[in-house]
Amino acid sequence: MFSPAEIEVVSQAVEIAEDVTANHFKISTARWKHVRYDIRTLAELSPHEITDYAFAQITRYSGKTELSGQRHYDYFKICLQDQNIKAAVERDERVRLLPLGIYVVTHELVHIVRFCKFLQRFDAEPLERQREEMRVHEITQRVLGSLKLPHLGYVLEVYGDYQFMEKLKDHSLAAST
Ligand SMILES: [Zn+2]
């Protein structure tokens, strides 16, 4: 798990990632609040939200709510995998936590925005999913391209087309909840 000091770095990374992503897609602060997602670290994950094979897992919770008159809703939880992110930092001393955190969170937010804008289906077929992954890598490079931050260039270079950024997992909620 991330230490308290690392959590602070990750929170900073989340703030920067949200900022640059909202800017890139020209989403105002007011509208950004309607993007239904949460970002959590290992300490706040359930067993089904943990994976050994990626930096993150996006769990989509969908269901029907009685309050909204049986309207279907989706909510995305970006589950950061502390253990895998830490391992990457420990493996290569040129990979620092802040730039890696910014990179991972921005990549995941690009996915979320595209799901919310219906530019991509969450349950796409494997081939389409692979194409989407390449697109998201490209967009993420553009989003972060102008960000002047030490050591970010190295992360972009090393993880530019990394295939284990995230796992997607659906978790349907019962109609009554
Ligand atoms: Zn991805």
Side-chain angles (χ1 to χ4, degrees), residues 70-129:
Q70 296 291 303
R71 217 161 51 100
H72 188 83
Y73 70 94
D74 282 337
Y75 156 77
F76 299 97
K77 184 167 169 185
I78 299 175
C79 309
L80 295 178
Q81 309 294 313
D82 306 22
Q83 71 285 19
N84 303 332
I85 295 171
K86 278 175 76 117
V89 172
E90 279 156 21
R91 251 195 323 265
D92 183 346
E93 60 172 19
R94 284 175 293 177
V95 173
R96 306 288 169 86
L97 183 57
L98 180 64
L100 181 60
I102 292 172
Y103 183 61
V104 172
V105 175
T106 304
H107 178 106
E108 303 315 330
L109 288 174
V110 170
H111 274 299
I112 304 281
V113 169
R114 290 178 58 81
F115 292 142
C116 292
K117 284 173 165 257
F118 302 107
L119 294 168
Q120 179 63 23
R121 287 172 60 95
F122 189 83
D123 48 6
E125 297 297 321
L127 185 64
E128 176 49 31
R129 161 96 182 93

Side-chain angles (χ1 to χ4, degrees), residues 155-169:
V155 168
L156 292 178
E157 196 186 307
V158 176
Y159 291 105
D161 57 358
Y162 191 58
Q163 291 304 303
F164 303 97
M165 289 299 288
E166 75 281 310
K167 248 182 75 177
L168 303 181
K169 200 165 177 182

